[in-house]
Amino acid sequence: MFYKIEHQDVGTSARAGVITTDHGTFETPIFMPVGTAGTVKAMHQRELEEEANAPIILGNTYHLYLRPGLKIIEKAGGLHKFIGWNRSMLTDSGGFQVYSLSGIRKINEEGVKFKSHIDGSAHFFTPEGVMDIQRTIGADIVMAFDECTPYPCEYEYARKSMEMTHRWLGRCVSRMAETEPKYGYKQHLFPIVQGSVYKDLRLKSAEVIAEAGCVGNAIGGLSVGEPAEEMYAMSELVCSVLPKEKPRYLMGVGTPENLLENIALGIDMFDCVMPTRNARNGMLFTTQGIINIRNKKWEDDFSVIDPGLDTYLNKYYSKAYLRHLVHNNEMLGAQIATVQNISFYLWLMREARKQIIAGTFRDWKSVMIKQCMQRL
């Protein structure tokens, strides 16, 4: 994989780049729809490709390891073949899911013991084991095993956790070096910057991660409840240390505003469950603003869902019809809303890229944040 910066914004640290994997080339900034268990919930692969035009999606190591399990994935020839996806793919390490299982997991230097949320069975993740799991899943980009600290977090805990994450990284790098991809294409490791919201820890972590010399770098632990201002401050700090010639991936973020503000700070890649999860609850992200389709005001609104997007939704569906579906808990309602939200997020990334290339990103960002974050 390689990353090439094609344009650097003159007024911010935003950049427009290109990333190449063995499953294709995609442009940055990019939002990666989350396909937790081998599916972007309520969305067909055809819609991901043809409507949203998603060049890369994300899978989750923890969930895929539990179901369908590694034997099935390997027998299928890897996750790409199992789910019918021929474009790029990234898998996280399972560190965030282990963090979320705080009541049923124990962390030590060797790794993490945890119980399955499905059946209570016992499992043990080590840095080496997680690399092996991701080899079997077969994503183009794989993440180093880390501990994601909660917010708020005591300084000493954050420091010790960060240092352990760094030691785990060394084990991940070694394991990747001594093993080979299983399906005939390259896999590339991204390490993860941690350190909670403590500046000295984030700086130290960014330095260690930069020194690892991987082809790209990720920033974790900034989608766990901290104020947006803290997130932006940490992103800016870390981006000042991470090498400019490599892609930067901010994990688990976030709202359209979060994405645009972090693009301005130098972030290239994002993922978040927000657009899909909120879609299933009736919240739509549109080019005009945010819509709660359950509200009565949409009951007799027969206009298209989003005139600013060129998707098949505008050919068939109105706001009134979508409200009817959502109120009746019809599956089609969740599907329509999901296609809308994912299509909007990918559209927003393409528009941001256009503005970076045109040299107008900063002014456009200010206008777009107000426009797409207003409640309609």
Side-chain angles (χ1 to χ4, degrees):
M1 189 191 74
F2 68 90
Y3 171 67
K4 178 183 178 182
I5 297 176
E6 295 188 326
H7 294 275
Q8 176 71 58
D9 185 49
V10 294
T12 71
S13 295
R15 63 260 194 96
V18 174
I19 294 176
T20 300
T21 76
D22 284 356
H23 279 97
T25 295
F26 58 91
E27 298 175 335
T28 63
I30 190 65
F31 177 84
M32 301 177 288
V34 177
T36 302
T39 172
V40 176
K41 286 183 173 63
M43 201 168 180
H44 294 290
Q45 271 77 321
R46 179 183 59 79
E47 293 169 324
L48 282 167
E49 290 186 357
E50 297 179 10
E51 299 302 325
N53 192 21
I56 178 172
I57 60 174
L58 181 146
N60 182 266
T61 291
Y62 166 85
H63 288 283
L64 292 166
Y65 162 81
L66 292 177
R67 285 195 305 205
L70 301 183
K71 288 183 179 179
I72 297 296
I73 293 174
E74 187 164 16
K75 190 173 183 178
L79 189 61
H80 283 89
K81 289 186 177 180
F82 184 56
I83 70 172
W85 182 254
N86 295 316
R87 299 183 179 186
S88 297
M89 186 186 299
L90 179 150
T91 44
D92 65 12
S93 70
F96 181 80
Q97 281 64 40
V98 169
Y99 146 80
S100 68
L101 298 172
S102 58
I104 51 175
R105 53 96 166 134
K106 293 182 179 179
I107 303 172
N108 58 39
E109 186 67 31
E110 184 60 23
V112 181
K113 295 179 181 180
F114 64 92
K115 292 183 178 180
S116 165
H117 72 285
I118 298 170
D119 59 10
S121 57
H123 302 271
F124 189 43
F125 273 6
T126 65
E128 294 83 0
V130 167
M131 295 301 98
D132 292 345
I133 292 169
Q134 291 185 87
R135 284 291 200 202
T136 299
I137 293 172
D140 302 275
I141 302 172
V142 303
M143 306 306 297
F145 193 46
D146 66 324
E147 183 190 1
C148 179
T149 53
Y151 178 87
C153 177
E154 294 291 336
Y155 180 88
E156 273 305 299
Y157 185 91
R159 181 184 65 80
K160 291 178 180 179
S161 172
M162 176 198 72
E163 291 174 349
M164 184 172 66
T165 289
H166 294 165
R167 293 191 294 273
W168 284 358
L169 172 60
R171 292 164 59 184
C172 290
V173 170
S174 296
R175 190 64 169 185
M176 289 293 286
E178 64 192 25
T179 58
E180 294 292 331
K182 292 189 174 185
Y183 308 114
Y185 53 84
K186 295 177 182 177
Q187 292 179 285
H188 307 280
L189 177 67
F190 279 26
I192 303 172
V193 176
Q194 289 291 351
S196 188
V197 292
Y198 299 104
K199 291 184 178 180
D200 61 324
L201 298 184
R202 284 285 174 179
L203 280 172
K204 176 62 176 177
S205 189
E207 290 168 356
V208 170
I209 265 56
E211 289 171 1
C214 295
V215 295
N217 299 295
I219 305 168
L222 290 179
S223 59
V224 291
E226 73 288 335
E229 292 73 20
E230 294 272 23
M231 177 209 305
Y232 301 146
M234 293 302 104
S235 292
E236 184 174 21
L237 190 68
V238 169
C239 285
S240 71
V241 176
L242 294 180
K244 294 181 179 179
E245 70 276 10
K246 297 178 179 181
R248 302 165 180 152
Y249 164 32
L250 181 58
M251 306 178 75
V253 177
T255 67
E257 179 178 7
N258 293 158
L259 269 59
L260 294 180
E261 293 291 4
N262 278 291
I263 288 171
L265 299 174
I267 300 294
D268 307 292
M269 303 167 66
F270 303 90
D271 81 281
C272 190
V273 298
M274 180 175 288
T276 49
R277 178 178 292 168
N278 286 17
R280 298 192 299 276
N281 293 319
M283 177 182 284
L284 308 180
F285 293 101
T286 79
T287 58
Q288 315 301 309
I290 297 173
I291 294 174
N292 182 349
I293 201 65
R294 292 181 177 274
N295 288 347
K296 187 173 178 60
K297 66 184 294 183
W298 310 114
E299 184 178 31
D300 59 353
D301 187 326
F302 302 106
S303 64
V304 298
I305 294 168
D306 187 351
L309 289 186
D310 182 21
T311 69
Y312 77 90
L313 301 183
N314 289 338
K315 180 179 179 181
Y316 296 101
Y317 309 119
S318 67
K319 295 184 182 75
Y321 179 56
L322 179 54
R323 181 182 185 274
H324 160 72
L325 294 173
V326 171
H327 263 271
N328 283 279
N329 295 317
E330 289 287 346
M331 288 186 289
L332 181 58
Q335 292 176 285
I336 293 171
T338 301
V339 172
Q340 166 61 36
N341 285 358
I342 292 298
S343 297
F344 167 76
Y345 266 62
L346 270 296
W347 171 86
L348 188 66
M349 295 298 96
R350 291 190 292 269
E351 288 299 309
R353 178 183 172 84
K354 291 177 183 177
Q355 299 297 328
I356 292 168
I357 293 172
T360 53
F361 175 76
R362 183 169 58 182
D363 291 340
W364 171 84
K365 173 177 73 73
S366 299
V367 173
M368 183 52 61
I369 287 175
K370 292 179 181 178
Q371 180 173 315
C372 69
M373 294 303 293
Q374 66 179 333
R375 298 279 178 156
L376 300 179

